[in-house]
Amino acid sequence: MGWREFLMCLAFAFALPIGQAMFKWAAIYSARLEGPFVLKLLQNWPLMIAFGWYALTAVFWFYILTRLPLANAYVFSMLGSGLVPLIAWLVFKEQLSWQFVVGFGLMLIGFLVVMQGRA
């Protein structure tokens, strides 16, 4: 994996939790809307932005997979998954436990181990 591919995968890893934060924002916005669920969906402009973000990231993921094997690229999803609770804590003031901190540290160690095996 070259530097360009590495940076693309890293960008994708950050795009995932940003999308999750957008969906949380849309959920908060939805709570302020009134009416049937379907009408709330249609009026929820943050949700439409989140869907658009996910569409762009899906195309980006497809592009990455045209350049790398899935097993190499997917390792970066571990980073993105671990960043979701971190963003929830920073942006939405959700609580994090010490178990999360330890688990995320173990995920980072696992990521480094896997990447060393791919080098």
Side-chain angles (χ1 to χ4, degrees), residues 3 5 24 34 43 63 79 96:
W3 278 105
E5 289 81 14
K24 177 65 177 184
E34 294 184 13
Q43 294 174 339
Y63 178 72
L79 293 177
L96 289 183

Side-chain angles (χ1 to χ4, degrees), residues 9 12-13 16 61 73-83 107 111:
C9 288
F12 181 77
L16 290 175
W61 181 242
Y74 197 72
V75 173
F76 285 82
S77 68
M78 289 189 304
L79 293 177
S81 297
L83 291 174
M107 286 174 57
F111 174 78

